[in-house]
Amino acid sequence: QVQLVESGGGLVQAGGSRRLSCAASGRTFSSYAMGWFRQAPGKEREFVAAISWSGGSTYYPDSVKGRFTISRDNAKNTVYLQMSSLKPEDTAVYYCAARRGTWSRSPYDYNYWGQGTQVTVSS
């Protein structure tokens, strides 16, 4: 069992930066691939980033590639999402998620979810 708690959301101006954190409980954090997803009102949950269990591989959709960076610190049981050059269309609730094995861009493949943190980008 893994419990995830996101933090770091808030209001940011367009062009600004924000770092989200996701703290995980459990002693097997390092065996999970981690993902970040976001969901805006009236839209489906969208893949934002993923990182392998070791942190050696990362994955992004084109919509955030070059602007967002996912990283993890297995010693601290924490995964991060550094967001820069933020746009109003990045406004959403951001969720971190965990799954055993390899990463996936589908939210249905993740077993554990945090409660989400709101990021609002003003124009």
Side-chain angles (χ1 to χ4, degrees):
Q1 192 81 355
V2 176
Q3 293 185 326
L4 305 172
V5 179
E6 303 96 335
S7 61
L11 178 65
V12 60
Q13 289 189 332
S17 299
R18 199 83 178 181
R19 189 177 83 157
L20 306 182
S21 299
C22 174
S25 66
R27 293 176 292 178
T28 59
F29 173 75
S30 61
S31 65
Y32 288 84
M34 300 296 295
W36 283 97
F37 293 79
R38 66 186 181 188
Q39 190 165 20
K43 294 188 176 181
E44 294 187 351
R45 196 160 293 191
E46 176 189 14
F47 170 66
V48 173
I51 189 166
S52 62
W53 64 269
S54 67
S57 299
T58 56
Y59 312 89
Y60 308 92
D62 289 342
S63 58
V64 307
K65 194 174 294 183
R67 300 189 299 121
F68 290 12
T69 302
I70 188 171
S71 61
R72 67 190 295 164
D73 185 338
N74 286 343
K76 295 183 177 180
N77 280 13
T78 302
V79 63
Y80 305 97
L81 184 68
Q82 178 67 48
M83 306 182 292
S84 60
S85 301
L86 283 163
K87 306 174 182 180
E89 52 263 44
D90 293 319
T91 295
V93 177
Y94 283 72
Y95 299 89
C96 70
R99 73 182 302 263
R100 284 196 179 272
T102 59
W103 75 283
S104 172
R105 65 175 58 243
S106 171
Y108 300 104
D109 291 335
Y110 287 79
N111 309 104
Y112 304 102
W113 291 85
Q115 83 289 349
T117 186
Q118 175 73 45
V119 173
T120 302
V121 183
S122 63
S123 57

